[in-house]
Amino acid sequence: MLGPNPIDELVVPDGTTVQEHDVVVDGDVLVGGQSTVELGVRGHSVIAGERVSVAGDIEADGDCRLDMWCDVDGNVLASEDAYLGERVHITGRLVVGGDLDIGDDVDIEEGFEASGWIVIRNPMPTITFFVVYLSHLLQIGEEEEAEELVEQFATDGDAQPLTIPRSGSVSDDAWRVSTPATIGDDCRLHGNIRATSIDVGEDNNIFGSLRAQDDVSVGSGTKIHGDVTTRNGDVRVEPGAVVLGDVSGQDVHVHPDADVDGVIRARGEMHLGSRADRDPE
């Protein structure tokens, strides 16, 4: 369960929105290494692996941790502490409400300020520190403490984090990952979703299409402004969902109270439900 990569899925938590080219979440934001985010990021704490590119401001109500070779085209604002690895580049200004731990050859074009201590050195990358410490706990048999560490790293308070897996790409045009994708409830997103499988929750508004290699599910009350397709998997569209495009897959299940404004194609079985499906009792 504690694999080498703790960020192995695109997870969009409940209530996530894209506002004026910013991704806004209530909880933390975890971005895997070598990912590209062509938007600004606003969340509680923001943690990015090595060589992550962010094309906008980063605003963190908690900590901000950027590993080596990260590039931010904008300002970085952290209400608490900030940790920057070596060769981080920020085109704007860095403002830190707490302590600042900064590595070698960091370039902040418009300067920085910190209310607490400023330590200039080469801090261990956040992900590296996490893996090293976790391995140590497992080696000495502290499985329970290791589980608590994973839970603390993945969540801060009650809000689930936004996680973008390694080498993912997020923009107004598309959210592209080579892993599964899970989208929570009450989200408003711009861009096509591309993943190995896609599970969309309830009452979302997605201005783009869904395309996966494996299964795709669209929850009740969700509106998809585009096609819903899969290469090898099944498609399920729940009651009250609206798809403003075509639906295609191996087996296709569309609830009678769902609305598909396009062609439905099934290479295997097609199940459009019956009126009895409305009330199983």
Side-chain angles (χ1 to χ4, degrees):
M1 183 176 65
L2 303 177
N5 181 10
I7 307 176
D8 58 0
E9 182 180 5
L10 172 64
V11 177
V12 180
D14 296 349
T16 298
T17 60
V18 175
Q19 302 176 5
E20 298 181 352
H21 304 291
D22 288 342
V23 178
V24 181
V25 298
D26 292 331
D28 295 344
V29 179
L30 310 179
V31 184
Q34 301 185 28
S35 293
T36 301
V37 181
E38 296 182 15
L39 299 163
V41 177
R42 290 158 55 188
H44 184 262
S45 290
V46 178
I47 301 173
E50 79 285 354
R51 297 181 184 274
V52 167
S53 175
V54 179
D57 295 341
I58 294 177
E59 298 183 28
D61 294 332
D63 296 342
C64 180
R65 300 171 180 258
L66 305 177
D67 281 351
M68 61 183 67
W69 296 98
C70 282
D71 188 279
V72 180
D73 188 9
N75 301 310
V76 176
L77 310 176
S79 297
E80 297 182 6
D81 300 336
Y83 307 81
L84 306 184
E86 63 180 3
R87 301 182 187 276
V88 166
H89 175 223
I90 299 173
T91 65
R93 186 167 180 82
L94 171 66
V95 179
V96 182
D99 299 336
L100 172 60
D101 198 337
I102 189 169
D104 297 332
D105 297 322
V106 170
D107 182 14
I108 305 171
E109 294 187 11
E110 296 186 11
F112 67 90
E113 60 181 85
S115 299
W117 293 96
I118 300 176
V119 179
I120 300 177
R121 58 190 177 92
N122 188 12
M124 179 181 291
T126 304
I127 300 298
T128 302
F129 174 80
F130 171 76
V131 173
V132 170
Y133 184 44
L134 180 60
S135 299
H136 172 71
L137 291 176
L138 294 174
Q139 287 174 359
I140 64 176
E142 297 290 343
E143 288 87 359
E144 184 175 348
E145 187 173 349
E147 293 288 349
E148 292 177 356
L149 176 64
V150 171
E151 182 176 355
Q152 182 178 0
F153 181 81
T155 60
D156 195 334
D158 296 329
Q160 185 180 26
L162 167 66
T163 62
I164 301 172
R166 185 177 182 84
S167 301
S169 175
V170 175
S171 70
D172 273 336
D173 177 65
W175 299 52
R176 300 179 186 274
V177 297
S178 57
T179 67
T182 299
I183 298 173
D185 303 332
D186 300 307
C187 298
R188 181 183 176 87
L189 305 179
H190 293 263
N192 304 308
I193 310 296
R194 304 289 184 259
T196 56
S197 63
I198 303 173
D199 183 5
V200 181
E202 300 180 355
D203 299 319
N204 297 289
N205 204 354
I206 299 179
F207 294 88
S209 62
L210 308 181
R211 187 168 68 198
Q213 297 175 358
D214 300 322
D215 293 348
V216 179
S217 63
V218 180
S220 300
T222 287
K223 191 172 187 178
I224 307 295
H225 297 254
D227 299 335
V228 176
T229 61
T230 172
R231 181 182 303 174
N232 302 314
D234 301 336
V235 176
R236 180 174 294 274
V237 182
E238 299 294 349
V242 177
V243 178
L244 300 178
D246 298 340
V247 173
S248 63
Q250 184 63 33
D251 294 344
V252 176
H253 305 263
V254 177
H255 193 276
D257 291 336
D259 185 8
V260 176
D261 185 21
V263 178
I264 301 176
R265 301 182 180 90
R267 294 182 293 275
E269 297 182 358
M270 181 183 298
H271 181 68
L272 301 182
S274 65
R275 294 299 169 185
D277 292 337
R278 292 181 174 181
D279 188 357
E281 299 180 357

PDB file of all heavy atoms in Angstrom, residues 142-174:
ATOM      1  N   GLU A 142       7.794   0.440  13.177  1.00  0.00           N
ATOM      2  CA  GLU A 142       6.760   1.393  13.611  1.00  0.00           C
ATOM      3  C   GLU A 142       5.700   1.550  12.524  1.00  0.00           C
ATOM      4  O   GLU A 142       5.520   2.622  11.933  1.00  0.00           O
ATOM      5  CB  GLU A 142       7.404   2.744  13.947  1.00  0.00           C
ATOM      6  CG  GLU A 142       8.381   2.711  15.097  1.00  0.00           C
ATOM      7  CD  GLU A 142       7.681   2.491  16.435  1.00  0.00           C
ATOM      8  OE1 GLU A 142       6.447   2.697  16.495  1.00  0.00           O
ATOM      9  OE2 GLU A 142       8.367   2.123  17.401  1.00  0.00           O
ATOM     10  N   GLU A 143       4.968   0.436  12.250  1.00  0.00           N
ATOM     11  CA  GLU A 143       3.982   0.474  11.175  1.00  0.00           C
ATOM     12  C   GLU A 143       2.855   1.467  11.445  1.00  0.00           C
ATOM     13  O   GLU A 143       2.408   2.181  10.542  1.00  0.00           O
ATOM     14  CB  GLU A 143       3.381  -0.921  10.948  1.00  0.00           C
ATOM     15  CG  GLU A 143       4.318  -1.917  10.307  1.00  0.00           C
ATOM     16  CD  GLU A 143       5.175  -2.635  11.349  1.00  0.00           C
ATOM     17  OE1 GLU A 143       5.019  -2.303  12.561  1.00  0.00           O
ATOM     18  OE2 GLU A 143       5.981  -3.506  10.962  1.00  0.00           O
ATOM     19  N   GLU A 144       2.409   1.534  12.699  1.00  0.00           N
ATOM     20  CA  GLU A 144       1.295   2.429  13.020  1.00  0.00           C
ATOM     21  C   GLU A 144       1.696   3.892  12.830  1.00  0.00           C
ATOM     22  O   GLU A 144       0.938   4.687  12.265  1.00  0.00           O
ATOM     23  CB  GLU A 144       0.843   2.201  14.462  1.00  0.00           C
ATOM     24  CG  GLU A 144      -0.375   3.032  14.859  1.00  0.00           C
ATOM     25  CD  GLU A 144      -0.878   2.686  16.249  1.00  0.00           C
ATOM     26  OE1 GLU A 144      -0.425   1.660  16.806  1.00  0.00           O
ATOM     27  OE2 GLU A 144      -1.722   3.434  16.771  1.00  0.00           O
ATOM     28  N   GLU A 145       2.908   4.254  13.267  1.00  0.00           N
ATOM     29  CA  GLU A 145       3.373   5.627  13.085  1.00  0.00           C
ATOM     30  C   GLU A 145       3.577   5.948  11.607  1.00  0.00           C
ATOM     31  O   GLU A 145       3.326   7.075  11.169  1.00  0.00           O
ATOM     32  CB  GLU A 145       4.672   5.851  13.856  1.00  0.00           C
ATOM     33  CG  GLU A 145       5.141   7.299  13.857  1.00  0.00           C
ATOM     34  CD  GLU A 145       6.330   7.530  14.765  1.00  0.00           C
ATOM     35  OE1 GLU A 145       6.658   6.622  15.554  1.00  0.00           O
ATOM     36  OE2 GLU A 145       6.927   8.614  14.682  1.00  0.00           O
ATOM     37  N   ALA A 146       4.012   4.929  10.839  1.00  0.00           N
ATOM     38  CA  ALA A 146       4.189   5.135   9.398  1.00  0.00           C
ATOM     39  C   ALA A 146       2.848   5.418   8.723  1.00  0.00           C
ATOM     40  O   ALA A 146       2.744   6.294   7.858  1.00  0.00           O
ATOM     41  CB  ALA A 146       4.857   3.913   8.773  1.00  0.00           C
ATOM     42  N   GLU A 147       1.814   4.666   9.122  1.00  0.00           N
ATOM     43  CA  GLU A 147       0.487   4.903   8.565  1.00  0.00           C
ATOM     44  C   GLU A 147      -0.010   6.308   8.904  1.00  0.00           C
ATOM     45  O   GLU A 147      -0.612   6.992   8.073  1.00  0.00           O
ATOM     46  CB  GLU A 147      -0.503   3.860   9.098  1.00  0.00           C
ATOM     47  CG  GLU A 147      -0.236   2.438   8.629  1.00  0.00           C
ATOM     48  CD  GLU A 147      -0.586   2.247   7.162  1.00  0.00           C
ATOM     49  OE1 GLU A 147      -1.216   3.153   6.586  1.00  0.00           O
ATOM     50  OE2 GLU A 147      -0.220   1.209   6.606  1.00  0.00           O
ATOM     51  N   GLU A 148       0.254   6.754  10.142  1.00  0.00           N
ATOM     52  CA  GLU A 148      -0.153   8.098  10.544  1.00  0.00           C
ATOM     53  C   GLU A 148       0.581   9.159   9.736  1.00  0.00           C
ATOM     54  O   GLU A 148       0.012  10.199   9.390  1.00  0.00           O
ATOM     55  CB  GLU A 148       0.098   8.291  12.042  1.00  0.00           C
ATOM     56  CG  GLU A 148      -0.809   7.439  12.939  1.00  0.00           C
ATOM     57  CD  GLU A 148      -0.481   7.594  14.404  1.00  0.00           C
ATOM     58  OE1 GLU A 148       0.504   8.318  14.716  1.00  0.00           O
ATOM     59  OE2 GLU A 148      -1.193   7.014  15.245  1.00  0.00           O
ATOM     60  N   LEU A 149       1.873   8.901   9.429  1.00  0.00           N
ATOM     61  CA  LEU A 149       2.644   9.843   8.630  1.00  0.00           C
ATOM     62  C   LEU A 149       2.064   9.972   7.226  1.00  0.00           C
ATOM     63  O   LEU A 149       1.935  11.077   6.682  1.00  0.00           O
ATOM     64  CB  LEU A 149       4.107   9.400   8.551  1.00  0.00           C
ATOM     65  CG  LEU A 149       5.017  10.253   7.651  1.00  0.00           C
ATOM     66  CD1 LEU A 149       5.135  11.666   8.204  1.00  0.00           C
ATOM     67  CD2 LEU A 149       6.393   9.610   7.526  1.00  0.00           C
ATOM     68  N   VAL A 150       1.705   8.827   6.616  1.00  0.00           N
ATOM     69  CA  VAL A 150       1.109   8.859   5.279  1.00  0.00           C
ATOM     70  C   VAL A 150      -0.195   9.633   5.299  1.00  0.00           C
ATOM     71  O   VAL A 150      -0.457  10.462   4.415  1.00  0.00           O
ATOM     72  CB  VAL A 150       0.879   7.418   4.765  1.00  0.00           C
ATOM     73  CG1 VAL A 150       0.071   7.440   3.472  1.00  0.00           C
ATOM     74  CG2 VAL A 150       2.203   6.715   4.545  1.00  0.00           C
ATOM     75  N   GLU A 151      -1.014   9.395   6.320  1.00  0.00           N
ATOM     76  CA  GLU A 151      -2.302  10.092   6.408  1.00  0.00           C
ATOM     77  C   GLU A 151      -2.094  11.593   6.605  1.00  0.00           C
ATOM     78  O   GLU A 151      -2.782  12.409   5.994  1.00  0.00           O
ATOM     79  CB  GLU A 151      -3.120   9.524   7.569  1.00  0.00           C
ATOM     80  CG  GLU A 151      -4.507  10.147   7.705  1.00  0.00           C
ATOM     81  CD  GLU A 151      -5.336   9.506   8.802  1.00  0.00           C
ATOM     82  OE1 GLU A 151      -4.862   8.511   9.396  1.00  0.00           O
ATOM     83  OE2 GLU A 151      -6.435  10.004   9.058  1.00  0.00           O
ATOM     84  N   GLN A 152      -1.116  11.982   7.433  1.00  0.00           N
ATOM     85  CA  GLN A 152      -0.848  13.396   7.661  1.00  0.00           C
ATOM     86  C   GLN A 152      -0.303  14.061   6.406  1.00  0.00           C
ATOM     87  O   GLN A 152      -0.635  15.197   6.091  1.00  0.00           O
ATOM     88  CB  GLN A 152       0.143  13.562   8.807  1.00  0.00           C
ATOM     89  CG  GLN A 152       0.447  15.019   9.134  1.00  0.00           C
ATOM     90  CD  GLN A 152       1.399  15.161  10.303  1.00  0.00           C
ATOM     91  OE1 GLN A 152       1.836  14.167  10.875  1.00  0.00           O
ATOM     92  NE2 GLN A 152       1.735  16.387  10.654  1.00  0.00           N
ATOM     93  N   PHE A 153       0.549  13.333   5.661  1.00  0.00           N
ATOM     94  CA  PHE A 153       1.115  13.884   4.439  1.00  0.00           C
ATOM     95  C   PHE A 153       0.042  14.095   3.381  1.00  0.00           C
ATOM     96  O   PHE A 153       0.062  15.077   2.639  1.00  0.00           O
ATOM     97  CB  PHE A 153       2.184  12.932   3.902  1.00  0.00           C
ATOM     98  CG  PHE A 153       2.864  13.419   2.643  1.00  0.00           C
ATOM     99  CD1 PHE A 153       3.885  14.334   2.704  1.00  0.00           C
ATOM    100  CD2 PHE A 153       2.466  12.953   1.394  1.00  0.00           C
ATOM    101  CE1 PHE A 153       4.522  14.781   1.563  1.00  0.00           C
ATOM    102  CE2 PHE A 153       3.086  13.392   0.241  1.00  0.00           C
ATOM    103  CZ  PHE A 153       4.117  14.308   0.338  1.00  0.00           C
ATOM    104  N   ALA A 154      -0.925  13.167   3.329  1.00  0.00           N
ATOM    105  CA  ALA A 154      -1.951  13.206   2.280  1.00  0.00           C
ATOM    106  C   ALA A 154      -3.117  14.112   2.625  1.00  0.00           C
ATOM    107  O   ALA A 154      -3.858  14.531   1.751  1.00  0.00           O
ATOM    108  CB  ALA A 154      -2.467  11.798   2.001  1.00  0.00           C
ATOM    109  N   THR A 155      -3.316  14.427   3.902  1.00  0.00           N
ATOM    110  CA  THR A 155      -4.455  15.249   4.291  1.00  0.00           C
ATOM    111  C   THR A 155      -4.030  16.278   5.315  1.00  0.00           C
ATOM    112  O   THR A 155      -3.114  16.073   6.085  1.00  0.00           O
ATOM    113  CB  THR A 155      -5.585  14.386   4.902  1.00  0.00           C
ATOM    114  OG1 THR A 155      -5.079  13.716   6.061  1.00  0.00           O
ATOM    115  CG2 THR A 155      -6.094  13.372   3.907  1.00  0.00           C
ATOM    116  N   ASP A 156      -4.701  17.380   5.335  1.00  0.00           N
ATOM    117  CA  ASP A 156      -4.467  18.431   6.327  1.00  0.00           C
ATOM    118  C   ASP A 156      -5.837  18.896   6.787  1.00  0.00           C
ATOM    119  O   ASP A 156      -6.523  19.608   6.086  1.00  0.00           O
ATOM    120  CB  ASP A 156      -3.677  19.579   5.715  1.00  0.00           C
ATOM    121  CG  ASP A 156      -3.105  20.503   6.775  1.00  0.00           C
ATOM    122  OD1 ASP A 156      -3.691  20.565   7.858  1.00  0.00           O
ATOM    123  OD2 ASP A 156      -2.071  21.152   6.501  1.00  0.00           O
ATOM    124  N   GLY A 157      -6.230  18.459   8.004  1.00  0.00           N
ATOM    125  CA  GLY A 157      -7.581  18.727   8.453  1.00  0.00           C
ATOM    126  C   GLY A 157      -8.543  17.757   7.796  1.00  0.00           C
ATOM    127  O   GLY A 157      -8.216  16.620   7.493  1.00  0.00           O
ATOM    128  N   ASP A 158      -9.776  18.220   7.568  1.00  0.00           N
ATOM    129  CA  ASP A 158     -10.802  17.355   7.013  1.00  0.00           C
ATOM    130  C   ASP A 158     -10.839  17.371   5.488  1.00  0.00           C
ATOM    131  O   ASP A 158     -11.485  16.542   4.871  1.00  0.00           O
ATOM    132  CB  ASP A 158     -12.178  17.773   7.548  1.00  0.00           C
ATOM    133  CG  ASP A 158     -12.284  17.575   9.058  1.00  0.00           C
ATOM    134  OD1 ASP A 158     -11.623  16.647   9.557  1.00  0.00           O
ATOM    135  OD2 ASP A 158     -13.005  18.351   9.707  1.00  0.00           O
ATOM    136  N   ALA A 159     -10.159  18.331   4.852  1.00  0.00           N
ATOM    137  CA  ALA A 159     -10.248  18.474   3.405  1.00  0.00           C
ATOM    138  C   ALA A 159      -9.290  17.520   2.702  1.00  0.00           C
ATOM    139  O   ALA A 159      -8.124  17.402   3.069  1.00  0.00           O
ATOM    140  CB  ALA A 159      -9.943  19.912   3.001  1.00  0.00           C
ATOM    141  N   GLN A 160      -9.794  16.840   1.688  1.00  0.00           N
ATOM    142  CA  GLN A 160      -8.956  15.958   0.882  1.00  0.00           C
ATOM    143  C   GLN A 160      -8.078  16.796  -0.029  1.00  0.00           C
ATOM    144  O   GLN A 160      -8.501  17.821  -0.544  1.00  0.00           O
ATOM    145  CB  GLN A 160      -9.840  15.024   0.048  1.00  0.00           C
ATOM    146  CG  GLN A 160      -9.056  13.978  -0.737  1.00  0.00           C
ATOM    147  CD  GLN A 160      -9.984  13.093  -1.551  1.00  0.00           C
ATOM    148  OE1 GLN A 160     -11.077  13.507  -1.908  1.00  0.00           O
ATOM    149  NE2 GLN A 160      -9.550  11.890  -1.845  1.00  0.00           N
ATOM    150  N   PRO A 161      -6.821  16.383  -0.250  1.00  0.00           N
ATOM    151  CA  PRO A 161      -5.945  17.191  -1.104  1.00  0.00           C
ATOM    152  C   PRO A 161      -6.218  16.984  -2.587  1.00  0.00           C
ATOM    153  O   PRO A 161      -6.731  15.953  -3.012  1.00  0.00           O
ATOM    154  CB  PRO A 161      -4.545  16.681  -0.739  1.00  0.00           C
ATOM    155  CG  PRO A 161      -4.772  15.250  -0.341  1.00  0.00           C
ATOM    156  CD  PRO A 161      -6.121  15.224   0.343  1.00  0.00           C
ATOM    157  N   LEU A 162      -5.854  17.990  -3.367  1.00  0.00           N
ATOM    158  CA  LEU A 162      -5.764  17.842  -4.816  1.00  0.00           C
ATOM    159  C   LEU A 162      -4.415  17.210  -5.116  1.00  0.00           C
ATOM    160  O   LEU A 162      -3.380  17.742  -4.718  1.00  0.00           O
ATOM    161  CB  LEU A 162      -5.873  19.205  -5.495  1.00  0.00           C
ATOM    162  CG  LEU A 162      -5.494  19.260  -6.984  1.00  0.00           C
ATOM    163  CD1 LEU A 162      -6.469  18.463  -7.819  1.00  0.00           C
ATOM    164  CD2 LEU A 162      -5.421  20.707  -7.464  1.00  0.00           C
ATOM    165  N   THR A 163      -4.410  16.062  -5.787  1.00  0.00           N
ATOM    166  CA  THR A 163      -3.150  15.395  -6.111  1.00  0.00           C
ATOM    167  C   THR A 163      -3.021  15.273  -7.624  1.00  0.00           C
ATOM    168  O   THR A 163      -3.928  14.805  -8.301  1.00  0.00           O
ATOM    169  CB  THR A 163      -3.052  13.995  -5.469  1.00  0.00           C
ATOM    170  OG1 THR A 163      -4.089  13.157  -5.969  1.00  0.00           O
ATOM    171  CG2 THR A 163      -3.182  14.094  -3.956  1.00  0.00           C
ATOM    172  N   ILE A 164      -1.868  15.711  -8.129  1.00  0.00           N
ATOM    173  CA  ILE A 164      -1.544  15.613  -9.549  1.00  0.00           C
ATOM    174  C   ILE A 164      -0.353  14.681  -9.677  1.00  0.00           C
ATOM    175  O   ILE A 164       0.722  14.971  -9.144  1.00  0.00           O
ATOM    176  CB  ILE A 164      -1.219  16.994 -10.134  1.00  0.00           C
ATOM    177  CG1 ILE A 164      -2.419  17.940  -9.964  1.00  0.00           C
ATOM    178  CG2 ILE A 164      -0.835  16.873 -11.610  1.00  0.00           C
ATOM    179  CD1 ILE A 164      -2.126  19.371 -10.348  1.00  0.00           C
ATOM    180  N   PRO A 165      -0.493  13.525 -10.335  1.00  0.00           N
ATOM    181  CA  PRO A 165       0.597  12.542 -10.373  1.00  0.00           C
ATOM    182  C   PRO A 165       1.780  13.020 -11.205  1.00  0.00           C
ATOM    183  O   PRO A 165       1.698  14.000 -11.949  1.00  0.00           O
ATOM    184  CB  PRO A 165      -0.064  11.313 -10.991  1.00  0.00           C
ATOM    185  CG  PRO A 165      -1.192  11.857 -11.800  1.00  0.00           C
ATOM    186  CD  PRO A 165      -1.678  13.066 -11.070  1.00  0.00           C
ATOM    187  N   ARG A 166       2.879  12.319 -11.059  1.00  0.00           N
ATOM    188  CA  ARG A 166       4.114  12.643 -11.746  1.00  0.00           C
ATOM    189  C   ARG A 166       3.893  12.752 -13.252  1.00  0.00           C
ATOM    190  O   ARG A 166       3.189  11.950 -13.853  1.00  0.00           O
ATOM    191  CB  ARG A 166       5.164  11.570 -11.459  1.00  0.00           C
ATOM    192  CG  ARG A 166       6.556  11.865 -12.034  1.00  0.00           C
ATOM    193  CD  ARG A 166       7.540  10.786 -11.640  1.00  0.00           C
ATOM    194  NE  ARG A 166       8.872  11.081 -12.133  1.00  0.00           N
ATOM    195  CZ  ARG A 166       9.750  11.858 -11.524  1.00  0.00           C
ATOM    196  NH1 ARG A 166       9.424  12.424 -10.372  1.00  0.00           N
ATOM    197  NH2 ARG A 166      10.949  12.077 -12.031  1.00  0.00           N
ATOM    198  N   SER A 167       4.486  13.780 -13.852  1.00  0.00           N
ATOM    199  CA  SER A 167       4.417  14.040 -15.294  1.00  0.00           C
ATOM    200  C   SER A 167       3.011  14.382 -15.772  1.00  0.00           C
ATOM    201  O   SER A 167       2.733  14.306 -16.972  1.00  0.00           O
ATOM    202  CB  SER A 167       4.977  12.859 -16.097  1.00  0.00           C
ATOM    203  OG  SER A 167       6.331  12.616 -15.745  1.00  0.00           O
ATOM    204  N   GLY A 168       2.128  14.769 -14.870  1.00  0.00           N
ATOM    205  CA  GLY A 168       0.792  15.195 -15.272  1.00  0.00           C
ATOM    206  C   GLY A 168       0.825  16.587 -15.869  1.00  0.00           C
ATOM    207  O   GLY A 168       1.779  17.347 -15.710  1.00  0.00           O
ATOM    208  N   SER A 169      -0.253  16.922 -16.573  1.00  0.00           N
ATOM    209  CA  SER A 169      -0.377  18.241 -17.203  1.00  0.00           C
ATOM    210  C   SER A 169      -1.787  18.764 -16.962  1.00  0.00           C
ATOM    211  O   SER A 169      -2.762  18.074 -17.257  1.00  0.00           O
ATOM    212  CB  SER A 169      -0.090  18.149 -18.701  1.00  0.00           C
ATOM    213  OG  SER A 169      -0.312  19.391 -19.340  1.00  0.00           O
ATOM    214  N   VAL A 170      -1.871  19.988 -16.424  1.00  0.00           N
ATOM    215  CA  VAL A 170      -3.165  20.597 -16.123  1.00  0.00           C
ATOM    216  C   VAL A 170      -3.216  21.973 -16.760  1.00  0.00           C
ATOM    217  O   VAL A 170      -2.314  22.796 -16.564  1.00  0.00           O
ATOM    218  CB  VAL A 170      -3.372  20.719 -14.598  1.00  0.00           C
ATOM    219  CG1 VAL A 170      -4.670  21.470 -14.301  1.00  0.00           C
ATOM    220  CG2 VAL A 170      -3.391  19.344 -13.951  1.00  0.00           C
ATOM    221  N   SER A 171      -4.280  22.220 -17.527  1.00  0.00           N
ATOM    222  CA  SER A 171      -4.452  23.520 -18.167  1.00  0.00           C
ATOM    223  C   SER A 171      -5.932  23.751 -18.418  1.00  0.00           C
ATOM    224  O   SER A 171      -6.772  22.875 -18.173  1.00  0.00           O
ATOM    225  CB  SER A 171      -3.674  23.586 -19.485  1.00  0.00           C
ATOM    226  OG  SER A 171      -4.278  22.758 -20.466  1.00  0.00           O
ATOM    227  N   ASP A 172      -6.258  24.945 -18.939  1.00  0.00           N
ATOM    228  CA  ASP A 172      -7.641  25.226 -19.337  1.00  0.00           C
ATOM    229  C   ASP A 172      -8.092  24.316 -20.467  1.00  0.00           C
ATOM    230  O   ASP A 172      -9.284  24.062 -20.640  1.00  0.00           O
ATOM    231  CB  ASP A 172      -7.775  26.682 -19.797  1.00  0.00           C
ATOM    232  CG  ASP A 172      -8.057  27.621 -18.631  1.00  0.00           C
ATOM    233  OD1 ASP A 172      -8.586  27.156 -17.615  1.00  0.00           O
ATOM    234  OD2 ASP A 172      -7.733  28.813 -18.747  1.00  0.00           O
ATOM    235  N   ASP A 173      -7.138  23.803 -21.246  1.00  0.00           N
ATOM    236  CA  ASP A 173      -7.459  22.953 -22.387  1.00  0.00           C
ATOM    237  C   ASP A 173      -7.672  21.506 -21.985  1.00  0.00           C
ATOM    238  O   ASP A 173      -8.585  20.846 -22.480  1.00  0.00           O
ATOM    239  CB  ASP A 173      -6.353  23.045 -23.440  1.00  0.00           C
ATOM    240  CG  ASP A 173      -6.608  22.130 -24.624  1.00  0.00           C
ATOM    241  OD1 ASP A 173      -7.602  22.376 -25.339  1.00  0.00           O
ATOM    242  OD2 ASP A 173      -5.826  21.179 -24.826  1.00  0.00           O
ATOM    243  N   ALA A 174      -6.825  20.975 -21.093  1.00  0.00           N
ATOM    244  CA  ALA A 174      -6.916  19.554 -20.763  1.00  0.00           C
ATOM    245  C   ALA A 174      -6.207  19.246 -19.451  1.00  0.00           C
ATOM    246  O   ALA A 174      -5.225  19.904 -19.084  1.00  0.00           O
ATOM    247  CB  ALA A 174      -6.315  18.704 -21.884  1.00  0.00           C
TER     248      ALA A 174
END
